[in-house]
Every structure is written in structure tokens, then in C-alpha cells.
Amino acid sequence: MTLGRLILAWLPVAALFAAAPPIGYRWGGKLPPDQRPLTWSFNRWEIGWRLIEAAVVTLFASLWFESLGAGGWWLLFLLVGLLVAFPRRLVMWQHVDALRRRHLLVHALLDVARYIVAGALLSSLDQ
């Protein structure tokens, strides 16, 4: 894949990752009264890391689609999403109550969905 195609493939994934960031740990939990349930921050540091995350996913997809094959992309991105989303939440899992565990599970599943959508975007651009 040429550099131009990589950049064109990265743009929609970067937009997805900037618009649908990882869901924060505080969503649905016990919040201080001055905070909203779903908080997204848009500071330069976080946006920068989301753009880098999108670039890594795009390079990973490029490797898959250009050299290894196009079939089974959804399984590949599902597995990568599971690897990204669950480990940090599993550490918290053992220290919280049952309601908070359900919220952590929902957060992780939404992050996995974000990766699958990114894979679908990149798969459609590959063809």
C-alpha cells in the first residue's frame, strides 16, 4: 500500500476514533455531582493518542489486507479489540461491585465494537 493510500485509509479511522473515543471508566458509575455520566475529553494529548491508535490500526490492517489476505478481517479485528479493551478492565473487575462490573463489561464491548467498525472501514477501502 502506498503512503497516499495509507493516509486515505487512515483518515476515516482517525475520524472514527476521534468521534467515538474509548468509553471512560466513570460512565454509569457513582459520580461526583459536578460530573456528567459520559465524559469525553478533547484535549490535544488524548486526541493525539487516538490519532496514533488509528494509525497503528491502519498499519495493522494494511499488513493483513496486502500480504496475509482479506478473508476473516472481522475475526482479526474482534481479537485485537478484545486484546485492547479487556486487560485494563479486568484489573478493575476484581475490586468493584457487581453493578460496576456490568458497566466495565459494557465499556469493553463498546471498545471492541469500535475496532470492528474500524476494520470494516479499512476492509471497504481495500477493495
Side-chain angles (χ1 to χ4, degrees), residues 2-86:
T2 65
L3 181 60
R5 284 189 66 198
L6 277 174
I7 291 172
L8 288 176
W10 171 76
L11 287 173
V13 177
L16 170 70
F17 279 29
I23 303 297
Y25 294 129
R26 296 183 302 234
W27 183 66
K30 296 176 183 172
L31 299 173
D34 60 331
Q35 292 182 348
R36 295 182 307 204
L38 184 59
T39 58
W40 287 336
S41 60
F42 291 100
N43 63 43
R44 279 193 285 166
W45 186 85
E46 285 192 37
I47 291 293
W49 277 113
R50 290 178 194 151
L51 296 179
I52 291 170
E53 181 184 19
V56 170
V57 169
T58 302
L59 290 172
F60 183 75
S62 173
L63 174 68
W64 177 257
F65 293 125
E66 296 296 324
S67 64
L68 299 175
W73 64 264
W74 61 271
L75 180 61
L76 181 74
F77 283 91
L78 171 71
L79 294 173
V80 170
L82 290 172
L83 285 172
V84 169
F86 275 92

Side-chain angles (χ1 to χ4, degrees), residues 95-111:
H95 302 293
V96 296
D97 59 32
L99 177 63
R100 185 72 173 145
R101 286 180 184 163
R102 282 192 299 260
H103 290 290
L104 289 171
L105 179 64
V106 169
H107 298 165
L109 292 175
L110 289 171
D111 281 348

